[in-house]
Amino acid sequence: MNILDIQGLTKKFGDFVAVDNMSLTIREGEIFGFLGANGAGKSTTINMVSSLLRPTSGVIRILDKDITKQSRFAKLNLGIVPQDLAIYEDMTAMENVSFFAGLYGLRGAELKERANEALEFVGLSDRAKNFPKNFSGGMKRRLNIACAIAHKPKLIIMDEPTVGIDPQSRNYILTSVRKLNEAGCTIIYTSHYMEEVEEICSRVAIVDHGKIIAEGTKEQLKATITDVKDLRIEMKTAAGKEGEQLKSIPGVRAVQQDENVIRIQSDVAVDNLNRILKKLMDDGKEIRAIEEQEPNLETVFLTLTGRNLRD
Ligand code: ADP
Ligand code: MG
C-alpha cells in the first residue's frame, strides 16, 4: 500500500509558486530521500502533508485516506520532525516528549512508557529531567525526533534533521533513521546533503523550483546521466575566474570550484578536454591531476539543473 500519495499538489504564496503540481507516492517500508537545494519547496510540501499549510490545490492521502477528510487518522499515523525545532525550552526533555505524545492521545502509564522509550531511542534517557536550554544543538535535534516518534507513527517525515549539528549527533540521527525503518516505520528524509541521502535512502526524489525533476533508486538516477562525464581537475593553486569561463567551452554543462579543485560536468559526446586544459594552462595554472569520477546524486542534480545543490 502507498503510505503517502500526493497528487497534483500546488502551493502559491501570492503569485509565487512554491510547490508546482507535484505528484509523488511513497510505499510502506521505504526510506525515501527528498533532496533539493534551499528554497526548492521541500518544507512547504511537508507543511502541507502535516496540515500546517493548506494546499492551493491537490490531494494528499495517507494510507489511502484524504488528510482533509480524515484528519485525525492522518495525524495519528504521521510523525513530523520539523526543520525549525519545535521544543519548549522551559519544559524538561521528558515533559516535552510527554506533551507531544499527549497531543496524539496517549495517556497515563502508556504515555509514560512511550515517552521513556522515545527518549531512550534518541539516547537522552539520562537527560530526561534536564531542560533543553542547556542542550547542544545535536541533543535538541534528537529531542525534536523523540517528540515526533513517541506515538509510534507509521510514517515519519524528517525535515533537514542534521543541519548545523556535530558529526556525532549526525551519525546518531542517521543510525536512528535506520533503526526506525527496521522497526517498521516508513521514513521520508528531507535534506540538501546528498551524501546523507545517498547513504541511507532506498529511493530518492530530486525537487527543484517546486517540481520533482527526477525520481527513482540511486542506481536508476545515476544511470540516467550516461551522456555526461564528471571531471575532477586538481591544480597546484586555487582557481580564479577561469572556473566561470570554462562554462563557455562547448559541451560544458556545469562547473564548480572549491579552492584548487574544479569539477566539470560535460557532454560525453563532445571532445573538449584539450580546450579545458588549455584554458587553465593559459591562465598559468599548474595541473596536478585529472580524474573522471563516478556519478553521484550531486552529479545528477548538476546535470539536470546546471546548479550546485548548495548554491
Ligand atoms: P526548502 O524547504 O526546500 O528549502 P521552502 O519550502 O521552505 O524550501 O520554500 C520554498 C520557497 O517558498 C522559497 O522560495 C521560500 O522563500 C518560499 N516560501 C516559503 N514559505 C513562504 C511563505 N510563508 N510566504 C512566502 N514565501 C514562502
Ligand atoms: Mg526546508
Side-chain angles (χ1 to χ4, degrees):
M1 195 187 321
N2 289 326
I3 195 150
L4 178 66
D5 180 22
I6 294 176
Q7 293 300 327
L9 188 66
T10 295
K11 180 68 192 179
K12 292 185 186 166
F13 295 110
D15 289 338
F16 178 74
V17 185
V19 175
D20 191 358
N21 194 21
M22 185 186 287
S23 296
L24 178 68
T25 54
I26 314 281
R27 294 185 280 267
E28 261 187 294
E30 294 190 280
I31 302 181
F32 189 89
F34 203 45
L35 181 68
N38 280 327
K42 304 182 296 297
S43 294
T44 304
T45 305
I46 290 167
N47 289 340
M48 288 189 280
V49 173
S50 56
S51 301
L52 287 174
L53 269 181
R54 188 198 293 264
T56 306
S57 57
V59 177
I60 301 169
R61 292 189 192 86
I62 288 180
L63 291 164
D64 285 347
K65 296 196 166 81
D66 186 331
I67 63 166
T68 56
K69 294 182 181 138
Q70 312 242 10
S71 58
R72 188 171 158 73
F73 176 86
K75 191 173 133 187
L76 290 177
N77 282 291
L78 188 61
I80 299 273
V81 182
Q83 178 170 354
D84 298 320
L85 291 173
I87 52 178
Y88 296 97
E89 302 268 324
D90 55 351
M91 284 167 31
T92 66
M94 183 63 179
E95 285 165 354
N96 266 283
V97 180
S98 302
F99 172 76
F100 284 99
L103 292 183
Y104 292 106
L106 295 179
R107 296 284 178 269
E110 192 189 15
L111 181 146
K112 201 158 175 238
E113 194 184 320
R114 295 282 188 83
N116 272 321
E117 268 175 37
L119 280 174
E120 163 106 51
F121 188 81
V122 299
L124 288 175
S125 289
D126 55 340
R127 309 302 293 264
K129 293 194 174 116
N130 296 151
F131 292 92
K133 60 173 176 272
N134 304 318
F135 286 6
S136 70
M139 287 162 73
K140 287 183 188 176
R141 285 267 157 214
R142 278 147 55 192
L143 179 57
N144 208 35
I145 293 175
C147 292
I149 63 173
H151 64 294
K152 300 213 165 160
K154 291 206 172 108
L155 173 63
I156 298 172
I157 306 184
M158 298 192 178
D159 195 356
E160 311 245 15
T162 57
V163 168
I165 63 172
D166 58 284
Q168 199 190 337
S169 284
R170 177 182 169 276
N171 288 336
Y172 205 102
I173 288 174
L174 294 181
T175 307
S176 314
V177 171
R178 283 202 199 89
K179 283 203 296 193
L180 284 166
N181 183 246
E182 280 159 18
C185 289
T186 308
I187 317 270
I188 300 178
Y189 190 89
T190 297
S191 180
H192 67 279
Y193 296 130
M194 68 96 195
E195 301 91 338
E196 293 182 354
V197 169
E198 193 139 0
E199 191 180 326
I200 60 169
C201 297
S202 43
R203 221 154 56 89
V204 180
I206 300 180
V207 51
D208 194 44
H209 297 305
K211 286 187 162 78
I212 289 171
I213 55 170
E215 191 190 336
T217 63
K218 287 168 273 194
E219 293 70 27
Q220 285 168 341
L221 291 178
K222 290 176 199 172
T224 61
I225 52 165
T226 49
D227 57 337
V228 173
K229 64 184 173 221
D230 191 352
L231 297 171
R232 179 182 182 280
I233 302 176
E234 190 181 326
M235 297 164 301
K236 196 170 176 192
T237 50
K241 289 198 180 68
E242 54 283 322
E244 269 304 303
Q245 293 161 1
L246 291 172
K247 284 185 183 161
S248 60
I249 294 176
V252 172
R253 293 207 197 173
V255 178
Q256 313 85 54
Q257 58 188 78
D258 182 17
E259 300 286 316
N260 62 327
V261 174
I262 291 191
R263 270 185 65 187
I264 301 171
Q265 287 74 42
S266 177
D267 284 340
V268 171
V270 182
D271 282 325
N272 53 16
L273 191 54
N274 275 357
R275 289 186 66 173
I276 291 170
L277 297 181
K278 183 166 185 306
K279 173 85 207 128
L280 293 172
M281 289 191 290
D282 284 352
D283 282 342
K285 297 296 174 199
E286 191 175 318
I287 294 164
R288 274 188 177 161
I290 306 169
E291 15 170 12
E292 198 173 326
Q293 297 201 306
E294 278 285 304
N296 56 27
L297 290 178
E298 181 92 44
T299 327
V300 176
F301 184 84
L302 283 160
T303 305
L304 292 171
T305 66
R307 283 178 289 117
N308 202 300
L309 255 171
R310 283 170 211 191
D311 280 354

